[in-house]
Amino acid sequence: MNNSRSIMAIKGNPGDNRSRGPASIFIVAGLCCFFYLIGVWQRGGFAKGDSKALQITKRAEDCSILSNLEYETHHGDQHGLVDDPKLKIKQFEPCGEQYVDYTPCHDQMRAMTFPRENMNYRERHCPPEEEKLHCLIPAPKGYITPFPWPKSRDYVPYANAPHKSLTVEKAVQNWVQHEGDLLRFPGGGTQFPHGEDAYIDQLASVIPMGNGTVRTALDTGCGVASWGAYLFKKNVIAMSFAPRDSHEAQVQFALERGIPAVIGVLGTIKLPFPSRAFDMAHCSRCLIPWTANRGLYMMEVDRVLRPGGYWILSGPPICWQTNYKAWQLPKEELEEEQRMIEEIAKLLCWEKKYEKGEIAIWRKRVNSEYCSERDSRVTLCDLSNSENVWYKKMEACVTPYPETINSEQVSGGELKPFPERLNAIPPRIASGSLTGVSVESFQEDNKSWKKHVKAYKRVNKLLDTRRYRSILDMNAGLGSFAAALESSKLWVMNVVPTIAEMDTLAVIYDRGLIGIYHDWCEAFSTYPRTYDFIHANGIFSLFKDKCNTEDILLEMDRILRPEGAVIFRDDADILGQVKRIVSGMRWKTKMVDHEDGPLISKKVLFAVKSYWVVGDNNSTILR
């Protein structure tokens, strides 16, 4: 559709059919046509053959009456929403083929220049301004839209992540197999000889999964994240992470499968999560030296683990007496390692609940009443600084429990089972510990986002389908956007910017959702083509004095899948600038008014990234 022309501003409430004039009806029809085409592109893998192109051409003819229309808001003239044909749009060129899997802050060549001690070189090391790429990261040849969940759990198109090293290195462990034009993930692993389901069922005999008590999990050194993949059956959502290391593409495989994951490592800096976030943490042969640095890494797990939460360790050194020969490791070293793990666990006030075979499970005590010995034997961290984690070094100290009034009370507040906890008042809000957010404002935020999401779905009807599995909310606030979308069909990565006015990430976890801290002046810790859908609420207003809008949009393009969708909410003048920039990035856009009418200065910009691959300089989106 032609985006260079405009029509008169439409007045009245766009949600009220009775107030629509003829032009308003054309606009609604135009948006429906626009997103019908999006649906065909996204469902069909448009680049795969001419038959889909013919279908789209036929449908486009049906929409021809609307081809010259663009939705101009009431504030169009004042805020530059109408394109000026005299202003040339900057066209962004494709990056070279060598950048198809480019991860700016985890670049292998740059990593090798940093110290190897404590895995420092595997942590985030972002390029300086002069080394940033200002081109579009291409998709590999043959790239297609991933299979819908749950098929994507087991099968990934080989063209999307054409890497074979794990199929060779981990062949006997059943991580991943290459079968023609597919990668198959059998759900196996070193510690899962009978499959993930059997392994998780064994854990569930001790840990209350499936009834909503345990909802959020952390998988350290996740491999291809099969543990997280199969936990969805128990309605548990796992945040999985692993470094970008010699096990090529493990996190990329996880993301292609539709499983939440980020590139990360327990090294020298704190994990980008709040304290008391996870109901459960897991390590299956994750190769983390748990006893190193006076138990520093176990202390960091303790920081992010809720009172009453569980820690699972499977593999060496557990059950060393039986397995030391098979592991080909010295018996004495394994014995000492397990002894030290047990000792550190006691210092952290973790109670051992289970050990059988190569699996051990500890439970963190619910409050400090059970930990009187601990406080006299360890250094306690400064509780007021426990959420200040972005690029902050880990310390050999133990995060104190919030105070309780008796031995039965859960420190920090008891959570409702999921999904009830999704809309229940989070304990950190009920207690007043999150300054600036009251019970009433939380409820109002929840109500507002239900209305916003309902309006989104009227325009982009694919939100109610399985088309979008992985969703990124760049400025998540209290997590109410994700709560309004909650479905077994999808998951949302809730990002709380490090410069946000309020640190709300802990509340997001209290609701049974997952998320991460991030500074959008830098690249996200993920591979290209990670997300099917991105929600950007006020992100450019927030960062307008911090970094370049173009850089943020290029990063969004990097991590968005071909034919993925974006919804921007922001001030009208800012969205006018965004619209112009993404027009040179092979995106198609439609601007609409706020749900409350055209007099509201904030607007909504819908966008779709076109399909193109290495060597393809032409957009496949109809013009």
Side-chain angles (χ1 to χ4, degrees):
M1 295 182 186
N2 189 331
N3 288 330
S4 63
R5 301 184 186 179
S6 62
I7 62 172
M8 61 180 289
I10 303 301
K11 296 182 180 179
N13 186 345
D16 186 350
N17 288 327
R18 293 170 297 179
S19 67
R20 289 176 181 159
S24 175
I25 294 171
F26 278 130
I27 289 166
V28 173
L31 285 170
C32 291
C33 183
F34 175 66
F35 278 99
Y36 178 86
L37 294 179
I38 291 170
V40 175
W41 297 325
Q42 292 177 328
R43 289 192 296 271
F46 172 64
K48 293 188 67 181
D50 291 337
S51 60
K52 290 297 179 185
L54 290 172
Q55 291 178 32
I56 293 173
T57 301
K58 184 178 184 303
R59 292 295 180 180
E61 290 169 355
D62 295 340
C63 299
S64 59
I65 191 172
L66 303 171
S67 62
N68 290 331
L69 296 184
E70 179 187 18
Y71 196 109
E72 177 189 339
T73 69
H74 182 72
H75 298 284
D77 292 334
Q78 298 96 314
H79 294 283
L81 295 183
V82 182
D83 290 336
D84 185 345
K86 296 178 182 178
L87 294 176
K88 186 177 180 181
I89 292 175
K90 177 180 177 179
Q91 298 295 326
F92 293 87
E93 297 299 321
C95 303
E97 184 173 0
Q98 68 271 30
Y99 293 107
V100 291
D101 291 333
Y102 183 52
T103 55
C105 297
H106 299 274
D107 179 69
Q108 294 284 60
M109 296 300 291
R110 185 179 298 106
M112 298 309 292
T113 67
F114 288 88
R116 296 198 168 218
E117 184 181 6
N118 294 327
M119 297 291 283
N120 175 274
Y121 75 119
R122 294 295 185 199
E123 295 180 313
R124 287 177 59 85
H125 300 290
C126 299
E129 191 66 33
E130 63 273 15
E131 292 182 21
K132 287 183 178 179
L133 297 181
H134 291 276
C135 51
L136 305 177
I137 302 298
K141 285 185 182 296
Y143 178 91
I144 63 174
T145 300
F147 300 117
W149 184 268
K151 184 177 180 180
S152 67
R153 185 195 69 182
D154 302 327
Y155 295 97
V156 166
Y158 178 70
N160 291 14
H163 304 293
K164 292 183 180 179
S165 65
L166 277 180
T167 67
V168 177
E169 291 181 33
K170 302 292 183 180
V172 299
Q173 298 173 21
N174 241 7
W175 278 27
V176 55
Q177 298 170 355
H178 181 214
E179 299 178 355
D181 59 358
L182 294 175
L183 293 166
R184 186 168 76 88
F185 297 83
T190 314
Q191 295 304 123
F192 324 130
H194 305 294
E196 281 284 3
D197 281 331
Y199 176 78
I200 289 172
D201 284 344
Q202 185 177 355
L203 302 181
S205 68
V206 182
I207 301 170
M209 300 184 204
N211 64 0
T213 302
V214 168
R215 164 64 179 175
T216 56
L218 179 68
D219 193 11
T220 56
C222 65
V224 296
S226 288
W227 188 67
Y230 283 79
L231 277 176
F232 278 110
K233 289 184 178 181
K234 301 286 189 184
N235 208 12
V236 174
I237 185 167
M239 173 70 81
S240 301
F241 72 85
R244 181 168 187 173
D245 60 8
S246 57
H247 288 167
E248 186 180 32
Q250 54 186 339
V251 169
Q252 186 178 27
F253 286 156
L255 294 162
E256 285 294 322
R257 297 172 71 188
I259 307 164
V262 291
I263 302 172
V265 65
L266 266 171
T268 67
I269 60 175
K270 294 181 179 181
L271 294 173
F273 312 118
S275 298
R276 310 194 319 276
F278 296 98
D279 300 321
M280 174 170 60
H282 175 256
C283 163
S284 171
R285 289 205 174 206
C286 61
L287 303 181
I288 294 172
W290 292 113
T291 60
N293 301 317
R294 296 182 294 163
L296 185 68
Y297 302 134
M298 290 179 68
M299 292 176 184
E300 180 63 0
V301 169
D302 179 75
R303 182 184 70 82
V304 301
L305 194 62
R306 292 189 185 284
Y310 297 85
W311 186 57
I312 304 150
L313 178 61
S314 67
I318 305 302
C319 199
W320 57 268
Q321 301 93 329
T322 304
N323 295 311
Y324 73 93
K325 289 182 180 178
W327 293 335
Q328 296 182 338
L329 294 170
K331 177 180 178 181
E332 295 74 19
E333 288 183 14
L334 290 167
E335 181 181 11
E336 176 62 11
E337 185 181 1
Q338 179 156 357
R339 186 195 66 78
M340 290 181 66
I341 286 173
E342 304 274 9
E343 185 176 307
I344 296 166
K346 284 183 180 179
L347 283 177
L348 293 173
C349 205
W350 296 358
E351 180 186 12
K352 194 168 190 181
K353 305 294 289 187
Y354 178 88
E355 182 174 334
K356 185 176 181 180
E358 295 179 24
I359 299 175
I361 301 174
W362 286 263
R363 189 183 187 206
K364 182 176 177 177
R365 297 284 195 168
V366 296
N367 61 45
S368 60
E369 297 287 328
Y370 299 95
C371 312
S372 55
E373 293 183 12
R374 182 198 69 170
D375 292 356
S376 63
R377 297 176 61 191
V378 300
T379 301
L380 294 177
C381 306
D382 179 2
L383 187 59
S384 65
N385 204 34
S386 61
E387 311 307 314
N388 185 17
V389 300
W390 188 246
Y391 285 126
K392 294 296 188 294
K393 286 198 171 187
M394 282 186 278
E395 304 172 83
C397 60
V398 177
T399 304
Y401 285 92
E403 291 185 5
T404 53
I405 57 175
N406 59 57
S407 61
E408 301 302 316
Q409 187 179 16
V410 177
S411 185
E414 190 167 1
L415 297 175
K416 302 285 187 182
F418 192 85
E420 187 181 350
R421 76 167 72 165
L422 187 64
N423 294 304
I425 305 301
R428 299 181 217 226
I429 291 177
S431 66
S433 59
L434 182 59
T435 304
V437 181
S438 65
V439 169
E440 292 75 22
S441 62
F442 170 79
Q443 291 172 327
E444 184 58 36
D445 186 73
N446 234 9
K447 182 179 177 182
S448 295
W449 279 106
K450 285 178 181 177
K451 181 180 75 172
H452 297 330
V453 168
K454 187 176 180 180
Y456 291 165
K457 289 179 178 180
R458 285 199 296 266
V459 179
N460 186 343
K461 299 185 184 303
L462 294 179
L463 270 170
D464 263 336
T465 71
R466 294 184 182 275
R467 174 59 185 86
Y468 303 130
R469 168 68 181 170
S470 52
I471 294 178
L472 175 70
D473 192 356
M474 296 177 70
N475 186 18
L478 296 170
S480 297
F481 167 76
L485 274 180
E486 172 58 30
S487 165
S488 60
K489 302 172 187 175
L490 56 85
W491 55 268
V492 180
M493 181 69 75
N494 294 280
V495 177
V496 172
T498 55
I499 64 168
E501 183 180 345
M502 289 187 294
D503 180 0
T504 54
L505 190 54
V507 165
I508 288 170
Y509 275 95
D510 281 353
R511 303 185 72 174
L513 304 168
I514 59 168
I516 195 168
Y517 293 111
H518 185 63
D519 179 353
W520 286 111
C521 292
E522 299 180 356
F524 200 54
S525 290
T526 194
Y527 281 83
R529 304 171 300 280
T530 293
Y531 290 95
D532 303 314
F533 185 99
I534 297 177
H535 184 241
N537 174 42
I539 203 72
F540 297 100
S541 291
L542 183 63
F543 281 91
K544 65 181 178 181
D545 297 323
K546 303 295 182 182
C547 48
N548 194 311
T549 297
E550 183 179 297
D551 287 344
I552 298 176
L553 287 168
L554 284 170
E555 175 61 4
M556 292 174 70
D557 183 84
R558 183 184 76 88
I559 64 180
L560 183 65
R561 294 190 186 280
E563 299 173 323
V566 182
I567 296 179
F568 301 91
R569 291 183 78 89
D570 221 313
D571 293 331
D573 54 347
I574 288 176
L575 290 188
Q577 179 190 12
V578 168
K579 185 176 184 293
R580 176 165 292 279
I581 293 172
V582 301
S583 294
M585 291 168 50
R586 311 183 186 200
W587 291 21
K588 288 296 179 183
T589 59
K590 278 289 179 182
M591 188 87 74
V592 305
D593 280 317
H594 190 280
E595 303 87 45
D596 292 335
L599 297 180
I600 305 296
S601 62
K602 290 188 181 300
K603 306 297 170 187
V604 182
L605 180 66
F606 291 84
V608 176
K609 176 181 173 178
S610 65
Y611 178 99
W612 61 279
V613 299
V614 165
D616 179 7
N617 289 320
N618 298 312
S619 170
T620 60
I621 295 295
L622 292 176
R623 296 184 183 279

